[in-house]
Amino acid sequence: MNAFEKARPRLLGFAYRITGSLVDAEDVVSEVWLRWAEADQDAVINPQGWLTTVTVRRAIDWARAGARRRETYLGPWLPEPVVTARRTNTDPEAAAELAESLALGFLIVLDRLDPVARAVFLLADVWGWSFAEVAVVVGRSEAACRQLASRARKRLQAATAAPTPWRVTDEEMVHRLVVAVTAGNLEMTLSLLAPDVVLVSDGGPSIHAARRPVVTSPRVANFLLNLARRLPAVGDSVDIVTVNGTSGIIVHASQAPKVVMAFEFQDERVTRIWTILAPEKLRRLDNPPNLQ
């Protein structure tokens, strides 16, 4: 396996976290492959460092372009979801940190940072690079990188709740919620939602979705029941999967994914639901990439 193929899942993971888009991340990595193919590879002393540097710099450029496109985006913008596997790892703490850095809530807060600050935070705090190494990648001084990481860390800590460790019961709760919603059982649906639950939906320019977050259990329950009634009944399937490192579902209709949801939990109730209906963000759900 050559240096690029060995690094590809990690490079794709870098680019996806920085851009919030799998499509953009794959384009970034394709560009990196072309540059690698044209480079004098024998003269590259550290291929992994070279590939990471080029990937991060191109991802920053793509993230800036994506931010301009989202200025006219209809309704809430959510990252493109990715079906992920729960992996065992010899370093559970490192594996948990990587999984948390894929969570939709984390990516949404990360997206509010300047792309360079995102890259610095990810390299230093998630992947454990030294600030001397990070400075070379992003083209800033080591002191500037320390400051960017500190500011990013504070914003992320203020905006995100402490992560709840995944448990088997989370998938059981998702299954119960699916049963309640598909049966149209309002009382059971309400019993599974936290009183202050928040649902954010992204329909993009072509699908009607709530243009603002839906808040409180009665409103979220009614939203879910109405959504279930809108989906075609024939050929539907609901699959419980792992979406961006947390329990979620994919709803298929006519063999195509129509809705993906990811859930957050606290005290055995659902506290947040990320709902993505935008067709352009669902194309790769049935063919998930290998990213780290």
Side-chain angles (χ1 to χ4, degrees):
M1 181 182 295
N2 63 38
F4 176 83
E5 290 303 323
K6 181 179 179 181
R8 192 179 190 283
R10 181 172 52 84
L11 302 180
L12 190 61
F14 275 130
Y16 171 69
R17 287 171 175 86
I18 293 171
T19 63
S21 166
L22 182 58
V23 173
D24 287 352
E26 290 179 327
D27 286 342
V28 166
V29 173
S30 294
E31 286 188 17
V32 174
W33 180 84
L34 289 173
R35 291 188 60 179
W36 177 246
E38 295 170 354
D40 182 1
Q41 298 174 16
D42 293 334
V44 178
I45 297 174
N46 180 1
Q48 298 304 310
W50 187 97
L51 290 165
T52 300
T53 298
V54 176
T55 299
V56 170
R57 290 178 178 176
R58 289 301 296 134
I60 289 171
D61 292 340
W62 278 77
R64 286 172 173 154
R68 290 192 292 271
R69 291 195 301 269
R70 288 200 294 277
E71 289 176 357
T72 58
Y73 198 84
L74 295 176
W77 174 89
L78 295 177
E80 186 176 346
V82 177
V83 174
T84 54
R86 298 191 185 279
R87 299 183 178 89
T88 57
N89 193 296
T90 54
D91 185 348
E93 185 177 345
E97 191 166 16
L98 280 174
E100 289 164 13
S101 69
L102 283 173
L104 292 177
F106 178 90
L107 293 176
I108 291 166
V109 178
L110 197 67
D111 185 71
R112 297 171 188 160
L113 303 175
D114 175 83
V116 174
R118 290 179 224 170
V120 169
F121 176 82
L122 288 167
L123 289 168
D125 281 45
V126 177
W127 276 279
W129 287 38
S130 71
F131 283 107
E133 294 171 316
V134 175
V136 172
V137 174
V138 301
R140 301 287 179 91
S141 70
E142 187 173 341
C145 289
R146 287 183 183 277
Q147 190 173 47
L148 285 171
S150 177
R151 290 175 180 173
R153 200 177 299 122
K154 289 176 182 177
R155 289 193 62 179
L156 286 160
Q157 289 173 348
T160 57
T164 302
W166 175 82
R167 304 153 299 175
V168 175
T169 52
D170 290 349
E171 290 190 354
E172 294 173 355
M173 287 174 61
V174 172
H175 176 74
R176 290 169 61 195
L177 184 62
V178 168
V179 170
V181 171
T182 54
N185 189 325
L186 177 60
E187 183 177 353
M188 183 178 177
T189 301
L190 285 169
S191 72
L192 298 169
L193 302 175
D196 57 351
V197 61
V198 178
L199 181 148
V200 179
S201 59
D202 179 349
S206 58
I207 300 295
H208 177 71
R211 298 304 186 198
R212 295 181 180 179
V214 182
V215 184
T216 73
S217 53
R219 292 179 179 177
V220 171
N222 283 319
F223 179 94
L224 293 173
L225 295 175
N226 289 333
L227 179 63
R229 286 192 286 267
R230 280 169 45 199
L231 292 172
V234 179
D236 274 4
S237 68
V238 180
D239 300 316
I240 297 176
V241 295
T242 304
V243 179
N244 288 70
T246 188
S247 294
I249 62 171
I250 301 176
V251 180
H252 287 80
S254 302
Q255 299 182 331
K258 297 298 183 183
V259 182
V260 62
M261 292 184 178
F263 303 90
E264 292 182 9
F265 309 89
Q266 189 173 1
D267 299 328
E268 298 187 357
R269 288 195 176 188
V270 178
T271 57
R272 190 171 292 268
I273 305 173
W274 310 105
T275 304
I276 302 172
L277 303 98
E280 62 274 13
K281 294 185 177 182
L282 305 180
R283 294 169 184 162
R284 290 294 309 277
L285 282 174
D286 290 334
N287 184 26
N290 179 19
L291 61 78
Q292 294 177 357

